[in-house]
C-alpha cells in the first residue's frame, strides 16, 4: 500500500497487494500512477482480460482485482 | 505451428501464433502439450481471464485466442 494512502479510502487489489481506490479511479489512471504503459502491458480486472493496447478506461470499484500481466509471445 | 500439424485442422491462436485445434482440445490439455503448469501460469481465452491455479478445463473452439500470461507480482 503506498505510504501516503489515506486509510479511510476503500481499496482494490493490484498485483496481489491492496491499493487505495481514490474516487473515480480508472484502469488507465491506475496504470499511469504506476508508470505502466497501457500500450505495452495486458491487464485483467476480475475475470475480464484486456490485451496490450486494448485497455479500456474502465472505472474501478472497491474490491476489484486488477492484475497487470505480461504476454508470453511464442508458444 | 507445430511441424507435424495436419493442415486440414482448424486452428486457434496461442500466444500470437496459429495452433492446431485437435477435436476436443481443452485449455488444460493445450497447456500440457506445451509443458506449461496450469498451477503456475495465468491464461486468457478471448476476453476471459483465469488466474494461476484457477484454470478451467475449458473446451477450445476454432478461432479462440489463448494467451498464457505471467502475473507481475507487486505494484
Amino acid at each position: 500500500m503506498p505510504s501516503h494512502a489515506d486509510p479511510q479510502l476503500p481499496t482494490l487489489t493490484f498485483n496481489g497487494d491492496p491499493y487505495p481506490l481514490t474516487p473515480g479511479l480508472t484502469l488507465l489512471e491506475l496504470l499511469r500512477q504506476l508508470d505502466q504503459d497501457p500500450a505495452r502491458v495486458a491487464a485483467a480486472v476480475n475475470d475480464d482480460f484486456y490485451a496490450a493496447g486494448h485497455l479500456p478506461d474502465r472505472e474501478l470499484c472497491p474490491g476489484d482485482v486488477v492484475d497487470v500481466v505480461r504476454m508470453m509471445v511464442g508458444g
Side-chain angles (χ1 to χ4, degrees), chain A:
Chain A
M1 187 95 125
S3 53
H4 61 278
D6 169 357
Q8 302 305 324
L9 282 175
T11 58
L12 54 85
T13 301
F14 176 75
N15 279 10
D17 296 324
Y19 192 89
L21 181 66
T22 45
L25 183 66
T26 65
L27 179 59
L28 294 185
E29 176 54 25
L30 172 66
L31 293 184
R32 261 189 295 273
Q33 290 179 6
L34 295 163
D35 298 330
Q36 299 278 346
D37 179 354
R40 294 175 53 83
V41 297
V45 179
N46 305 327
D47 58 8
D48 296 318
F49 178 73
Y50 305 110
H54 298 281
L55 276 61
D57 201 14
R58 167 176 175 165
E59 184 148 353
L60 299 173
C61 303
D64 272 354
V65 176
V66 180
D67 283 297
V68 164
V69 294
R70 195 165 296 286
M71 313 282 280
M72 293 165 60
V73 182

